Amino acid sequence: LMPEQSGAETSQKNSGTSGEPEVTEEGDNDSLDAVLNLEQGFVEVGLAEGARYGEAKGAEDGFSAGYSAGHGLGEEIGAYKGAALVWTETLAGNMTESTRGAINRLVLWIDALANMKPETDEYHDTLVKIRSTYRMITVNLRMPGMGTDELGASSGLDF
C-alpha cells in the first residue's frame, strides 16, 4: 500500500491529460497562507531591525544631547568659580564682609554641586542658589554689564 498523499499531490496525479496540476480551493489557501506567512516573517524581521536601529540611534542622540547640556553647565559653573577665586585674590581689601561671605558660599555650593545627583531637588536648589548668588555678587561689586544699569549705577542690592 502507498502512504496517504495530500490533496494537492493527489490532484496533480489525477489531473487531466494536459499535464497541468489541477488547483483546488485547498491548494489556493495553502499558497495564500504561504505568501501571508512569508510577508509576516518579513514584517517581524523589519520590526526587529527597526527597533535595534531606533535604540542605537536614540542612545547616540541622548548621549549627544546630554554631552552638550553637561558641557554648557560645566562651562557656566566653572566660570562662576573662576570669577569667585579671582575676586577673592584681587579684590580682598576692596569688598565688604557680606560680599566676601557670599563669595565663600558661592565656592562652597559649587564644590558641593559636583557631588550631587542631577535628578535631585537638592541639586536644582543649589544650582538656583549659585546663579542668584553670583548675580548678587556682580551687582554688589558694581561690575558693568553684570547686574548694573546702562550707566554703571548699582541697583543698590547689598547682602
Side-chain angles (χ1 to χ4, degrees):
L1 291 172
M2 304 228 2
E4 284 188 29
Q5 297 175 339
S6 71
E9 292 173 26
T10 306
S11 61
Q12 286 179 0
K13 284 189 171 185
N14 297 334
S15 63
T17 56
S18 66
E20 291 293 317
E22 184 180 314
V23 179
T24 63
E25 284 186 32
E26 185 179 305
D28 285 342
N29 286 341
D30 289 342
S31 298
L32 185 57
D33 287 343
V35 169
L36 291 176
N37 288 339
L38 182 64
E39 179 184 15
Q40 184 61 34
F42 282 123
V43 167
E44 289 171 5
V45 168
L47 285 172
E49 286 182 18
R52 281 193 300 275
Y53 175 78
E55 287 175 13
K57 187 67 175 154
E60 286 176 21
D61 291 347
F63 175 82
S64 179
Y67 181 84
S68 295
H71 181 268
L73 184 60
E75 188 175 11
E76 174 190 359
I77 300 300
Y80 295 160
K81 186 170 183 178
L85 296 175
V86 168
W87 294 331
T88 301
E89 293 296 319
T90 60
L91 302 175
N94 297 329
M95 69 175 84
T96 65
E97 275 304 311
S98 64
T99 302
R100 188 175 290 110
I103 291 172
N104 290 337
R105 284 192 307 276
L106 178 65
V107 172
L108 288 173
W109 287 329
I110 289 171
D111 290 343
L113 190 69
N115 297 319
M116 294 180 191
K117 295 184 188 252
E119 62 273 2
T120 64
D121 289 339
E122 180 185 22
Y123 179 90
H124 292 284
D125 293 345
T126 303
L127 196 55
V128 168
K129 285 190 245 181
I130 289 169
R131 288 173 172 153
S132 62
T133 301
Y134 177 81
R135 178 99 168 132
M136 287 190 296
I137 293 168
T138 58
V139 168
N140 196 23
L141 293 175
R142 293 167 176 77
M143 299 179 70
M146 304 293 278
T148 56
D149 65 16
E150 296 80 28
L151 301 175
S154 171
S155 63
L157 295 177
D158 198 273
F159 47 95

